[in-house]
Amino acid sequence: GELFFVPGGNPHGVRNPAPIVGVSMNYVDASNIWGYLSEQLMEHAYHAFEFFTDNITVPHGSLSTQQPLSFGEWKSQPWNDLPYDLF
């Protein structure tokens, strides 16, 4: 399979010349959090805004000691218990 990454805020379109099974995912990370939060406020989606800004539900920051992880390792991390030290 192939992976195609489109940075947040960039218009894009996909044309498939043959039938396929496609999986699409939107996510929020340090590169697009402020754009996402601004959009939520403009749409009066206050619950979504609070979900990302209470610093409990979604922990904030990065680890200076972060190492590459396999998907299984990433999925099993105790994210809320880690000491974020970069921002």
Side-chain angles (χ1 to χ4, degrees), residues 12 15 17-19 22 24 33 42-43 47 54 57-58 61 65-67 70 75 77 82 86:
H12 62 282
R15 183 175 181 195
S24 175
I33 183 73
M42 287 188 289
E43 294 178 2
H47 177 72
D54 68 4
T57 311
V58 177
T65 59
Q66 184 65 50
Q67 298 294 315
S70 69
K75 193 172 179 184
Q77 288 293 310
L82 297 176
L86 290 182

Side-chain angles (χ1 to χ4, degrees), residues 61-73:
S62 296
L63 299 171
S64 60
T65 59
Q66 184 65 50
Q67 298 294 315
L69 301 172
S70 69
F71 179 72
E73 291 169 328

Side-chain angles (χ1 to χ4, degrees), residues 30-66:
S31 72
N32 63 4
I33 183 73
W34 299 114
Y36 174 80
L37 291 175
S38 295
E39 185 177 306
Q40 297 310 301
L41 287 176
M42 287 188 289
E43 294 178 2
H44 303 285
Y46 303 117
H47 177 72
F49 182 86
E50 290 172 359
F51 180 82
F52 279 94
T53 58
D54 68 4
N55 205 21
I56 297 168
T57 311
V58 177
H60 297 182
S62 296
L63 299 171
S64 60
T65 59
Q66 184 65 50

